[in-house]
C-alpha cells in the first residue's frame, strides 16, 4: 500500500526520534530528565514553536547548574551539568545548553585508537580552587555552584579565591598487615591539607623518625593523587621478628597535626604452619606483589 504524503514526511522525524531514544537508553546521565528533554526539543523543532505563554510553563526544580531558556526561548529549564552532553552549535537545541561558568567543548580524553569518538561535553571555564563559605575547598567554581544548588538554604558563597586553610586530614590511613619473616610490607598514608602537610613515620617505643639509619626500612613521598594532597609510604624489606609493632603516620602543617596507627604482625614459617592456614600466606604475598607493581615507579 503506498504511503500518504503525511506519512512520508513524518518518517524522517520518526527516525530521529528513535535515534534520540536509543541515545537516552545507552547513556543514562546524572541530571533529572536530561536526555528525555532532548527528544522533546526535537519534537518542538519539528512542530515549530507556539506563542510563548509564561503562565503555562512548569517551574524547573533541582537545577544544580542553574537555568536556561528552552529551545523556543520561552520557558526555563535546567541547564546541563559539567560532564553532560551539549550542543557545540549554538543554534542547535538537542542536548541543551550548559549552565553558568560552563562551556561546551569536545572531550578529547577518550582512546581514539580504540575507536572512541570525542563527544561534546559541558566543561567548567575555570579550574582554579576556591574556598566556600562553609569552610570547604572546592576544585573549581562549578563544583561550588552544584553544592549551592543542592542546598539552597545554606546560602553558600565564595569566601575567597584559593583553597581554605585547614589542618591536615588523613583521607586514606595505613592498614594493619601481617607477613612472614623475609617478606616485604608497605604502609600507605594520604593526607589533605592547605598549607601542604609534611608526613613522617614513627614506630611506637622509638623516638627517631623512620627510616633512621636502618637500611631495610625506606620511606617515599609524592604529591597527589588529588590537589593539595600528599602521599607517603613506609616500606620494610626482609621482615624480622623485631619489626613487629605499631607504626604511625604523622601529618602536620602550621595549623595542626594528625596521626593514624597501623599494626604489623610478623610470623616465622613455623608459626604460620602451626596456624593451619598457609593458604592465607600465599594470598597475602600475592597482594603485596600487586601493590609493589602498582607503586613500583614511586620507589628507587
Amino acid at each position: 500500500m503506498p504511503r500518504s504524503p503525511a506519512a512520508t514526511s513524518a518518517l524522517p522525524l520518526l527516525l530521529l526520534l528513535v535515534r534520540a531514544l536509543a541515545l537516552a537508553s545507552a547513556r543514562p546521565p546524572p541530571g533529572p530528565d536530561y536526555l528525555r528533554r532532548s527528544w522533546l526539543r526535537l519534537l518542538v523543532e519539528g512542530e515549530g514553536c507556539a506563542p510563548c505563554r509564561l503562565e503555562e510553563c512548569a517551574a524547573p526544580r533541582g537545577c544544580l547548574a542553574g537555568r536556561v531558556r528552552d529551545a523556543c526561548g520561552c520557558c526555563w529549564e535546567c541547564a546541563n551539568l559539567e560532564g553532560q552532553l551539549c550542543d557545540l552549535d549554538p543554534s542547535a537545541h538537542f542536548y541543551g545548553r550548559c549552565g553558568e561558568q560552563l562551556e561546551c567543548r569536545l572531550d578529547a580524553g577518550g582512546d581514539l585508537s580504540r575507536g572512541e569518538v570525542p563527544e561534546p561535553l559541558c566543561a567548567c571555564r575555570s579550574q582554579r580552587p576556591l574556598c566556600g563559605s562553609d569552610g570547604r575547598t572546592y576544585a573549581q567554581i562549578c563544583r561550588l555552584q552544584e553544592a549551592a544548588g543542592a542546598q539552597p538554604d545554606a546560602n553558600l558563597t565564595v569566601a575567597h579565591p584559593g583553597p581554605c586553610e585547614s589542618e591536615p586530614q588523613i583521607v586514606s590511613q595505613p592498614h594493619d598487615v601481617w607477613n612472614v619473616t623475609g617478606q616485604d610490607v608497605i604502609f600507605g598514608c594520604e593526607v589533605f591539607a592547605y598549607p601542604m602537610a609534611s608526613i613522617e613515620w614513627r614506630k611506637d617505643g622509638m623516638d627517631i623518625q623512620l627510616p633512621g639509619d636502618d637500611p631495610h626500612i625506606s620511606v617515599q613521598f609524592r604529591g597527589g593523587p588529588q590537589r593539595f594532597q600528599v602521599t607517603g609510604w613506609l616500606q620494610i624489606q626482609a621482615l624480622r621478628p623485631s619489626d613487629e609493632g605499631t607504626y604511625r603516620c604523622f601529618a602536620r602543617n602550621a595549623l595542626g597535626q594528625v596521626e593514624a596507627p597501623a599494626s604489623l604482625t610478623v610470623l616465622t614459617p613455623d608459626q604460620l604452619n602451626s596456624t593451619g592456614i598457609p593458604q592465607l600466606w600465599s594470598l597475602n604475598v600475592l597482594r603485596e606483589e600487586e601493590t609493589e607493581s602498582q607503586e613500583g615507579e614511586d620507589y628507587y
Side-chain angles (χ1 to χ4, degrees):
M1 179 181 295
R3 295 189 180 94
S4 65
T8 303
S9 62
L11 184 58
L13 180 60
L14 179 61
L15 292 175
L16 288 173
L17 177 57
V18 171
R19 179 178 180 273
L21 289 173
L23 284 172
S25 61
R27 184 188 177 93
D33 299 329
Y34 165 56
L35 286 181
R36 186 176 69 86
R37 296 199 306 265
S38 300
W39 58 264
L40 289 177
R41 293 190 191 98
L42 188 65
L43 290 177
V44 170
E45 287 187 357
E47 296 178 354
C49 295
C52 180
R53 297 184 178 89
L54 293 177
E55 65 276 6
E56 297 180 0
C57 295
R61 297 181 180 180
C63 298
L64 301 184
R67 304 182 303 167
V68 293
R69 294 291 185 182
D70 61 14
C72 292
C74 179
C75 300
W76 290 106
E77 63 180 13
C78 289
N80 293 354
L81 292 163
E82 184 175 21
Q84 289 184 332
L85 290 166
C86 53
D87 298 307
L88 279 175
D89 183 356
S91 63
H93 299 284
F94 182 72
Y95 291 119
R97 299 187 179 97
C98 301
E100 299 175 18
Q101 305 293 337
L102 294 161
E103 62 183 3
C104 192
R105 303 177 190 164
L106 272 180
D107 177 30
D111 190 347
L112 299 180
S113 63
R114 296 185 178 181
E116 296 183 12
V117 179
E119 294 179 312
L121 301 176
C122 293
C124 197
R125 290 192 176 95
S126 172
Q127 295 300 321
R128 296 181 179 178
L130 45 84
C131 180
S133 56
D134 57 354
R136 291 182 53 193
T137 296
Y138 293 86
Q140 23 95 329
I141 183 63
C142 302
R143 296 300 184 201
L144 183 139
Q145 288 185 165
E146 290 180 21
Q151 298 179 335
D153 296 335
N155 296 321
L156 180 61
T157 58
V158 178
H160 60 75
C164 305
E165 291 192 350
S166 67
E167 61 184 22
Q169 305 167 34
I170 294 181
V171 296
S172 179
Q173 62 184 21
H175 300 290
D176 298 342
V177 297
W178 67 270
N179 214 322
V180 183
T181 53
Q183 298 296 319
D184 302 342
V185 296
I186 297 176
F187 291 106
C189 187
E190 292 179 8
V191 180
F192 170 86
Y194 186 80
M196 292 287 286
S198 62
I199 294 179
E200 64 182 51
W201 294 90
R202 295 181 182 271
K203 183 182 179 183
D204 283 358
M206 299 176 59
D207 293 332
I208 62 171
Q209 177 180 339
L210 297 176
D213 57 358
D214 197 327
H216 84 301
I217 297 179
S218 59
V219 296
Q220 181 72 20
F221 307 97
R222 75 172 182 189
Q226 303 296 327
R227 299 181 74 178
F228 312 112
Q229 286 187 7
V230 61
T231 301
W233 295 273
L234 171 72
Q235 182 180 40
I236 307 176
Q237 297 177 307
L239 284 174
R240 311 164 184 170
S242 59
D243 292 324
E244 184 169 286
T246 300
Y247 293 81
R248 296 181 181 273
C249 165
F250 287 88
R252 61 166 58 93
N253 66 4
L255 302 177
Q257 173 179 301
V258 66
E259 65 179 81
S263 65
L264 169 62
T265 302
V266 181
L267 302 176
T268 65
D270 291 340
Q271 289 174 322
L272 180 68
N273 292 332
S274 66
T275 63
I277 52 172
Q279 64 274 17
L280 289 182
W281 174 69
S282 299
L283 179 61
N284 195 59
V285 170
L286 287 174
R287 287 175 177 170
E288 291 296 329
E289 290 176 351
E290 291 176 359
T291 301
E292 290 178 5
S293 65
Q294 293 172 359
E295 305 296 346
E297 297 181 357
D298 300 307
Y299 290 90
Y300 50 87

